[in-house]
Amino acid sequence: MAASAGRRVPLALGLTGLAFALCGLVLLFVLPSIVRDQVIKNVRIDPNSIAFSMWKDIPVPFYLSAYFFEVMNPKEIRLGAKPVVNQRGPYVYREYRYKTNITFHDNGTVSFLEYRRFYFCPDLSDGMEEDYIVVPNILVMGAAIMMEKLPHFLKVVISGALAGLGQDAFMNRTVGEIMWGYDDPLIDVLNSFVPGLIPFKGKFGLFLNFNNSNTGLFTVYTGATDINQIHIVDTWNGLKKVNYWRSNECNMINGTSGEMWPPFMTPSSSLEFYSPDACRSMKLVYEQSGVFKGVPTYRFVAPKTLFANGTDYPPNEGFCPCRESGIQNVSTCRMNAPVFISHPHFYNADPVLVEAVDGLHPNKEQHGLFLDVHPVTGIPMNCSIKLQLSLYIKKVSGISQTGQIEPVVLPLLWFAESGAIEGSVLKQFYTNLVLIPSVLEYVQYICIGLGVALIVAAIVLEVKRQRNTRETSLQEPDPQTEPPWSSETTPLLQDASKTNQNDDAEA
């Protein structure tokens, strides 16, 4: 019974260990497939997926922060002096995004319109919308460049009309007017002299078309047939490419709509998206791995080539006519106005641009854009997209308002659209897509480790049991055999018996 019990303990340990090890090995090979299947199931653009509601009505609190460059020496600039600017702001707006007209198609795509609404947040701002700021008169200075090649006499007449309206090279208007628009009779006057010069009526504002408006009709892939194509743009406003630029490559509509990306990223992945505001596709590159509130992320940033000119980066030749590297001419998609986009404070641009204006202090921490994306799902956790709008101004013969202004790309404002997942959305995301897979990953290694330990323990116990058995068998005699001393001692006993008998007889 004892021997039988001794055998059962190692056997039980061995079988238990084998079961744990097999369980761990099964998890080791099956878990990645399970996680992948769950990710695919939950990130697809499908009403039954976890990510659908996040995609449809973005729950992340987005904020638009605007910083204005107030011109400190407008009179001197008209006389040919170097511009001096002072940054004002931020003026912060809560941004709400939501999708409408969501239509699924048989080819695995879905169409939608995304609307944006902005509400001023005085408690987050350094100033009010009623603050007055001196900035270039965008309509006057922009129109001056656009009219540069008109007959001199016509330019003089237009300049006189502008003077009659009290128009000058610079204006003093409120933040709200510059952002969301103001009525200006100048629009009608300019169009009466040069029909179609300014192709709109009513108000003019830098962000007039942002508020309560959509970004165009996007049609993107849902990932139903190919998860690697999820969120990739099929068409925008029915177009496969735009016609703003001078090359097919620059006109291509590439990447996603800029909200989510295909899952299962690696450091060699890039983030490409089409921006209707910039009228072009943009590509961000991997910089480093990190962690955002417990969620592993990849950080993507803008390469230095993003706004490089055609000389420094030949693929950008299609965006020309170009000026210094680090700014992009967007006049072809902005009514031919001499408007440029860049990083704030001309970060990553030709130093000549920074040196031409006093008051600029570019640095990566404040002015570099980034997106922190969860690589397994392709969902952004934290982002801050920063862009600057600048106006090219100079003296235009016949337009007296331009005075003796030296040619310069003068910053108007820069803005950051920022957002980060938080609250219940972050908790649900962390639990379902980070915590549970991580726990299962630890469980598989614990099972393997415990299984190996139990098997080793079972082997050790069995070896000890067999050794003890052998030692015991050597120490205990066999009751059915004679003792080893019996055959040797019997003759001696017999001799002793005979001796005793002889002694008795003599007596």
Side-chain angles (χ1 to χ4, degrees):
M1 290 294 292
S4 176
R7 291 193 191 95
R8 285 199 295 268
V9 173
L11 181 62
L13 285 176
L15 291 176
T16 303
L18 183 61
F20 273 109
L22 288 175
C23 181
L25 289 172
V26 168
L27 284 175
L28 184 64
F29 289 103
V30 174
L31 183 61
S33 298
I34 295 175
V35 172
R36 181 180 176 85
D37 291 343
Q38 286 300 309
V39 168
I40 292 174
K41 177 182 176 182
N42 288 310
V43 302
R44 286 184 305 188
I45 304 177
D46 184 301
N48 297 319
S49 71
I50 292 177
F52 180 77
S53 59
M54 185 185 302
W55 172 82
K56 181 176 179 291
D57 298 305
I58 298 178
V60 177
F62 267 90
Y63 294 92
L64 173 72
S65 302
Y67 299 81
F68 289 84
F69 293 100
E70 182 173 25
V71 177
M72 306 305 293
N73 60 337
K75 293 181 180 179
E76 290 79 3
I77 294 174
R78 289 191 73 241
L79 297 175
K82 181 180 181 180
V84 179
V85 298
N86 176 49
Q87 180 174 291
R88 296 274 301 273
Y91 296 89
V92 182
Y93 296 83
R94 175 71 161 89
E95 180 178 350
Y96 293 89
R97 298 183 181 186
Y98 61 96
K99 292 179 175 66
T100 62
N101 293 51
I102 298 174
T103 306
F104 287 89
H105 306 289
D106 294 335
N107 64 345
T109 63
V110 59
S111 300
F112 61 89
L113 293 172
E114 182 172 84
Y115 283 81
R116 297 176 291 190
R117 289 180 180 174
F118 298 90
Y119 299 90
F120 184 64
C121 300
D123 54 323
L124 300 177
S125 304
D126 186 9
M128 301 297 292
E129 282 191 302
E130 293 74 27
D131 292 349
Y132 277 88
I133 296 179
V134 177
V135 295
N137 191 329
I138 302 165
L139 288 175
V140 170
M141 298 306 296
I145 300 293
M146 295 162 67
M147 297 186 298
E148 186 174 15
K149 295 183 179 180
L150 291 179
H152 183 77
F153 173 75
L154 182 56
K155 289 188 288 185
V156 171
V157 173
I158 294 175
S159 179
L162 296 179
L165 294 173
Q167 299 285 345
D168 200 355
F170 297 89
M171 62 182 184
N172 188 18
R173 290 196 177 271
T174 67
V175 168
E177 289 176 327
I178 299 170
M179 289 282 290
W180 311 115
Y182 56 90
D183 293 308
D184 197 326
L186 175 61
I187 297 173
D188 294 331
V189 171
L190 290 173
N191 282 331
S192 66
F193 283 101
V194 187
L197 180 68
I198 301 178
F200 62 85
K201 295 181 179 180
K203 291 185 175 183
F204 171 77
L206 292 176
F207 287 76
L208 179 63
N209 294 325
F210 272 47
N211 207 5
N212 295 317
S213 62
N214 64 72
T215 55
L217 182 66
F218 276 99
T219 300
V220 304
Y221 288 95
T222 64
T225 57
D226 183 358
I227 195 63
N228 295 316
Q229 288 291 104
I230 186 171
H231 301 298
I232 299 297
V233 177
D234 180 35
T235 62
W236 175 73
N237 284 339
L239 302 172
K240 294 282 188 179
K241 64 179 182 177
V242 295
N243 59 358
Y244 299 126
W245 315 110
R246 302 195 308 173
S247 72
N248 285 329
E249 183 180 358
C250 292
N251 279 320
M252 291 298 295
I253 297 174
N254 298 323
T256 73
S257 61
E259 295 176 338
M260 298 179 185
W261 282 265
F264 313 118
M265 292 179 171
T266 67
S268 62
S269 302
S270 61
L271 293 190
E272 197 163 9
F273 60 96
Y274 178 73
S275 169
D277 300 325
C279 309
R280 59 165 290 188
S281 298
M282 297 185 179
K283 181 185 286 187
L284 306 185
V285 296
Y286 172 85
E287 182 187 51
Q288 63 185 18
S289 299
V291 177
F292 176 76
K293 297 184 178 179
V295 179
T297 59
Y298 284 173
R299 171 158 289 192
F300 293 86
V301 298
K304 197 169 184 178
T305 57
L306 183 62
F307 297 125
N309 61 24
T311 302
D312 290 349
Y313 187 60
N316 281 355
E317 183 66 34
F319 293 122
C320 293
C322 299
R323 293 187 59 83
E324 296 83 359
S325 206
I327 58 176
Q328 183 189 323
N329 187 339
V330 292
S331 59
T332 53
C333 74
R334 288 291 177 262
M335 302 168 293
N336 292 317
V339 177
F340 291 79
I341 61 173
S342 67
H343 297 298
H345 287 246
F346 296 128
Y347 167 67
N348 262 352
D350 191 320
V352 170
L353 295 164
V354 180
E355 294 166 1
V357 181
D358 281 341
L360 301 181
H361 309 284
N363 66 81
K364 180 180 179 180
E365 289 70 27
Q366 294 181 347
H367 306 132
L369 64 82
F370 69 87
L371 278 97
D372 293 336
V373 180
H374 182 229
V376 176
T377 61
I379 297 176
M381 297 288 103
N382 183 32
C383 67
S384 185
I385 304 299
K386 303 167 184 175
L387 290 174
Q388 176 177 294
L389 297 179
S390 302
L391 185 69
Y392 177 59
I393 63 174
K394 68 173 186 176
K395 173 187 176 180
V396 175
S397 176
I399 307 294
S400 61
Q401 285 77 11
T402 61
Q404 301 298 316
I405 296 175
E406 291 291 325
V408 65
V409 180
L410 188 61
L412 300 173
L413 62 80
W414 71 271
F415 62 92
E417 282 190 286
S418 305
I421 289 184
E422 59 184 31
S424 60
V425 177
L426 175 64
K427 185 177 180 180
Q428 181 185 22
F429 186 95
Y430 176 79
T431 301
N432 293 333
L433 296 173
V434 178
L435 182 60
I436 293 177
S438 296
V439 169
L440 291 175
E441 185 176 359
Y442 284 122
V443 167
Q444 70 186 17
Y445 292 117
I446 291 172
C447 285
I448 293 173
L450 184 59
V452 170
L454 290 174
I455 291 172
V456 170
I459 293 172
V460 171
L461 287 176
E462 180 61 19
V463 169
K464 290 181 67 176
R465 187 191 69 78
Q466 292 183 8
R467 182 186 299 162
N468 291 337
T469 301
R470 285 197 299 271
E471 290 177 353
T472 302
S473 64
L474 291 174
Q475 292 174 1
E476 294 180 0
D478 190 341
Q480 296 181 353
T481 61
E482 287 186 340
W485 44 262
S486 59
S487 59
E488 298 176 359
T489 56
T490 299
L492 295 176
L493 292 174
Q494 290 175 350
D495 291 342
S497 176
K498 290 179 180 180
T499 302
N500 291 334
Q501 290 175 356
N502 292 333
D503 289 342
D504 290 339
E506 291 178 359

